Every structure is written in structure tokens, then in C-alpha cells.
Amino acid sequence: MGSSLKDTGISIDLYKVNGVTSGFIKDDIPYIGLQGESYGIIKEFGTLLPDSDVADLSAFITGFNFSITYKADSDENSVICSMGKYNGTELITGYEIRNNKVICRVGSQDEAIVDLPANQLLTIDLNVSKETNTNIWYFSIFINGVCSAPIRVTDYDWKFGFPMTLGCRNNNGTLTDYSNVKIYDVKIYTSDLPDVAIVQNYISATE
């Protein structure tokens, strides 16, 4: 089942939804509801972010941005969305939003971990930009339009090569740590965004 939120045009495949309490819910503010063992997959990530053994950076020569607006009602370790490689429940390289923190880990290069207020309406952006005429990349996490400290990356192992899973952790097909979450907005950009655009998206996503 493919669904999209608002005017984003993003294809989201939904699984184990019932169309009443989970799935695409047409409320006053439409949202995707995920609970129990329901989840969603954004397959575009698997092609937009090739794996680390692929050296072609042409698809993201200027970076990218992934933005999600949601409200969860779950325990602190439940996972809102995930993408990457794991060793058990430990993220090795990739991106994961839990109910209490967001983690961006770029292989052995560096990591950013930002604590989150639990069970609140949040807009979280992962914004990746490339320094002009270099192989240096910056990964920045924005919480409600406010930037955290960026990661400076000089290796290519940030190309995670996995789809984005919504509503749980996806460890190479093993799904765990499901969340009870309402997702109000999802956006993917094939270039990085200036700070002002991220703030504007945050405002529009929560209006």
C-alpha cells in the first residue's frame, strides 16, 4: 500500500495496518498512524543513498535533506524511523530516531547523538551538505528548526544503502522496537537546505 503525506509526493509502503487506527488517517490534520507491529518503508532511500562500496556521488553532489514531523506515545527506546547497518541493536552506520534520542553515525568517522523530549510533536531534519571543491561533507541534525553540532566527514561510508523504515528498527529485515506514532509530514530533498528553509518547513509542517 503506497501513501504520501500532504504534497510531498513521497511513496510510503505501509504494512500490517488496519485503516482505522493505523494506516493513512484522514483526520483534521492527515497523518500516518503506526502502532502494534505496523510499519512503513520509504524505498527511495535504497536508491538515493547507495551503499559504501559504490563510489558514484553524482546523485548527491550537493547533499540531501530528510525531514519528518511526528508525535509518538511510546517507551523511550522505541524507534520512530531507522536506516543503516546494525550489530544487534547497536547502530554501526546510519540514522535512527528513537523516542528519546536521534542518532547519526557515519561508520568510524564520527557520530551525533541528540536527546529528545519524549512524546512531543517534533520536526527532525537530517541535513547533509558538501563543502565546495572538496570531499568534505557535513551532517547536521535539526530539532524543530534548531541546528545541533554538525559532523565533518571525509569518507564515503555515509552512503547507507538501505530503505528508511518508519515505526520500528530494521536490522537487515529483522524488525524490532516498534513505536506508537503519528507521522504528519515527511520530506526528502536531493540537495541540502539552507537554515531558513529548514525553519520554514518546520513552521509549515506544524501549522
Side-chain angles (χ1 to χ4, degrees):
M1 176 181 178
S3 300
S4 61
L5 293 178
K6 300 176 75 170
D7 58 353
T8 63
I10 296 171
S11 176
I12 302 176
D13 295 329
L14 300 178
Y15 301 90
K16 298 185 178 181
V17 297
N18 59 30
V20 179
T21 59
S22 61
F24 186 73
I25 309 299
K26 295 182 178 180
D27 206 343
D28 292 338
I29 302 177
Y31 64 89
I32 287 178
L34 299 174
Q35 58 180 245
E37 293 188 354
S38 62
Y39 65 98
I41 298 285
I42 305 176
K43 294 181 178 178
E44 285 93 335
F45 273 88
T47 54
L48 293 178
L49 299 178
D51 206 350
S52 58
D53 58 356
V54 181
D56 181 12
L57 296 178
S58 60
F60 279 106
I61 197 65
T62 60
F64 68 93
N65 178 280
F66 170 66
S67 179
I68 182 169
T69 298
Y70 69 91
K71 184 176 182 181
D73 182 14
S74 306
D75 66 75
E76 63 179 17
N77 290 318
S78 62
V79 175
I80 311 303
C81 63
S82 68
M83 172 187 66
K85 298 178 182 179
Y86 288 86
N87 180 10
T89 60
E90 180 186 1
L91 182 66
I92 302 302
T93 184
Y95 183 63
E96 180 178 278
I97 301 176
R98 302 177 189 173
N99 198 25
N100 65 342
K101 68 180 66 176
V102 54
I103 303 169
C104 180
R105 186 165 287 141
V106 189
S108 60
Q109 289 276 304
D110 209 341
E111 67 178 21
I113 301 176
V114 182
D115 291 334
L116 298 175
N119 304 323
Q120 293 188 21
L121 181 64
L122 297 172
T123 296
I124 301 180
D125 288 74
L126 174 63
N127 198 56
V128 178
S129 59
K130 185 177 185 293
E131 190 173 287
T132 305
N133 298 323
T134 72
N135 286 326
I136 298 172
W137 299 77
Y138 293 92
F139 287 65
S140 300
I141 296 172
F142 287 75
I143 311 298
N144 291 345
V146 179
C147 182
S148 69
I151 304 173
R152 184 177 184 271
V153 175
T154 57
D155 201 351
Y156 292 155
D157 62 357
W158 59 268
K159 298 188 298 174
F160 308 135
F162 293 86
M164 177 69 76
T165 301
L166 305 176
C168 63
R169 176 180 292 119
N170 188 343
N171 180 3
N172 196 29
T174 299
L175 307 182
T176 60
D177 298 290
Y178 292 89
S179 61
N180 181 7
V181 60
K182 295 180 179 179
I183 299 173
Y184 293 98
D185 194 34
V186 177
K187 293 184 175 73
I188 304 172
Y189 297 89
T190 55
S191 64
D192 63 305
L193 297 183
D195 290 8
V196 64
I198 292 173
V199 172
Q200 290 170 344
N201 276 343
Y202 159 61
I203 294 172
S204 65
T206 54
E207 284 183 336

